[in-house]
Amino acid sequence: MNEATTAAAPARAGADPDTRLVVLLMFGVLLLSYVINAMDRQIFPLLAADVRRDYGFSLADTGLLSTIFTLGMAVAGWPTGYLLARYSRKAVLQIGIAIFSVGTVLTAYAAGMADMLVYRAATGIGEAMQLTALIAVATSYFVRYRAVAVGAINASFGVGAILGPIAAAMLLQLEGSWRGPIIGFGLIGFVAMAAIWLCVSPALTEVVDRRDGRAAMGGAASLANRNTVLLTVLSVIGGLIIYGYLGMYPTFLREELKFSPADTGRVMSIYGLGVLASLVGGWLGDRFSPRLVLGAAFLAAAALGYFIFQGATAFVAQAALSFVWGFVISGTIYVNLAGYHVKAVVPSEAGRATGIFVTSLYGAGAFAGYLIGFIAGKAGWVSAGLVQISCLALVGALLSLALRPQAMAGAGR
């Protein structure tokens, strides 16, 4: 049974300082579960070179393994939007964490390419359920600051992105095997499930009709509208850019620039520091026009795609570029694509809009690692960065200019 009805009244008591504190603490538990998810998610690209050596996978196959989880997210994103309209968000979120954790543990016991692809894709199904539910919770409760709320979710991913590679590199050095870190991070997910079950109330997770003045005004009555269509295309572009980087950048550092696993982990952790600025990226999205925010961010992504793969071999240079990448791409483009998808429609369509965002961005991301690995294998990393990141980002900047901010929720503020 959906708990939305019983939860709506307590949620409106948010004017009480004690109630606000409790809500923020509960939201913090949800964010902590996503920190664990992010730690788990970041370790496979770091360990991909070791997996490739053990199994004899090609560079393109390794890229596919690094990003195939996004295919699971794409497959599950749209159905999860409908599940959220019928069942408890808290239950959907916990089931997602369970699927993610089981798939992660099984990855360590894969016999070869075929079953490892299945396990990696299964983790994406679980993550889609967790992330879609989490975004629905955040954007339904924190109505006036939707992009900032999504920014908080992404910032928690940044915390995991900082801690995960460092912890994985340490465990890899201690155990000498890539399997130990993967099993350990998978098991922690069940601890997160227990914490959510014990600590998080439906007063936060099941709100569906919260209103907050003019912030709730606007938005199309259906998903068939200009902004949603454009945002879906931009999400596909974003998926190819974001997961081209996340899936194969650590392999680029280790195999092309000859970085050690420890240095690669440090660079990826610095990327996570950039992601921590997602709250700023979300504030920009709530404050300024989608045309300006997304247009400028995609232009910056085009420049980053050029410089990252142009042969800057020094650790400091790659670390600086990774930090900027974390803020611009993950902290601004990703956060605001998610927020604008929800703002483009009325509140009753928020769950389905989030499902479209997850499906389009992660569906494209599923093949991003394979594509950039294929281009790099044929024409080199410089060409891969120019084609998959810089050129696509320029297209995204142009498409951003066609958005209609006045048709989105909160446009009257």
Side-chain angles (χ1 to χ4, degrees), residues 55 101-112 115-116 119 178-180 182-184 187:
Y55 287 89
S101 300
V102 170
T104 299
V105 173
L106 289 176
T107 298
Y109 298 98
D115 61 333
M116 190 178 290
Y119 301 145
W178 57 270
R179 290 179 171 85
I182 286 183
I183 294 171
L187 293 176

Side-chain angles (χ1 to χ4, degrees), residues 238-260:
L240 289 171
I241 292 172
I242 293 169
Y243 285 95
Y245 169 90
L246 287 178
M248 290 301 285
Y249 180 60
T251 302
F252 164 73
L253 292 178
R254 292 188 62 181
E255 296 192 359
E256 182 72 12
L257 301 187
K258 308 303 179 184
F259 279 28
S260 68

Side-chain angles (χ1 to χ4, degrees), residues 72-77 80 92 96 123-133 358:
M73 295 192 73
V75 169
T80 300
V92 172
T123 66
I125 293 174
E127 184 170 355
M129 296 177 71
Q130 179 190 12
L131 179 60
T132 306
V358 171

Side-chain angles (χ1 to χ4, degrees), residues 269-285:
S269 293
I270 291 170
Y271 152 77
L273 286 174
V275 179
L276 285 179
S278 295
L279 289 170
V280 177
W283 177 83
L284 291 173

